[in-house]
Amino acid sequence: RYRTTDLSPLENSVEAIEKRNSLIGAELHQRPTNSKTLQAVLQGSVLLQVNAGAMEICNAFLSRAARKIYDLDLLDKLQASLKTFLLFCSQALALNRSIIGTDPKQLEFHAELENGFADLKSQMERFLRADQDGEEGNTTGVPPEEEQDDNTQEDL
């Protein structure tokens, strides 16, 4: 018999990130390293056009408004999982770089993965820095230079 458990959207998101972490972790520890599966996992993790999952989760649950309505323990668990996700992605990129050699196509694809990771990390860190030192920080998902008071915004 199968037993089903209904998860809240936040619990489901924590589980999704933990599954992704397990997948990346398995690739990091696989010997010998399989470059094809490693690259597929990386592509699905760091290229936003392929999977905006981690960024969407940040937007949904770690924004200023969301922090006021969701369980803080689960939000802490989500943040920890997302930090692990970024760490594992960084380690997987380093591993990939060490095994691809000098093939121009491999180097070009790796550069694409690196750029995707840099973009993803930059966007996610705005959410993950929140609540440090008792300050909320910018958790709107909008860079500070784009946040404007409605009264000062120029009409186009």
Side-chain angles (χ1 to χ4, degrees), residues 93-149:
L93 283 165
L95 176 60
N96 187 60
R97 179 62 189 102
S98 74
I99 63 172
I100 60 173
T102 59
D103 177 19
K105 288 188 181 199
Q106 289 288 324
L107 291 170
E108 182 180 335
F109 182 63
H110 183 78
E112 191 178 329
L113 292 172
E114 288 276 0
N115 290 337
F117 176 67
D119 290 345
L120 178 66
K121 182 178 178 188
S122 171
Q123 292 177 46
M124 286 179 64
E125 283 181 337
R126 288 196 305 250
F127 293 98
L128 299 177
R129 280 195 306 260
D131 295 329
Q132 289 181 351
D133 301 322
E135 296 179 19
E136 190 167 353
N138 175 16
T139 58
T140 63
V142 178
E145 63 274 8
E146 293 179 20
E147 289 187 38
Q148 294 181 356
D149 184 0

Side-chain angles (χ1 to χ4, degrees), residues 2 9 14 35 37 44 47 68 75 81 87-88 92 96 116-117 121 124 142 153:
Y2 291 101
V14 169
S35 64
T37 60
L47 295 181
K68 295 177 183 176
L75 289 175
S81 294
L87 175 66
F88 281 8
N96 187 60
F117 176 67
K121 182 178 178 188
M124 286 179 64
V142 178
Q153 191 172 8

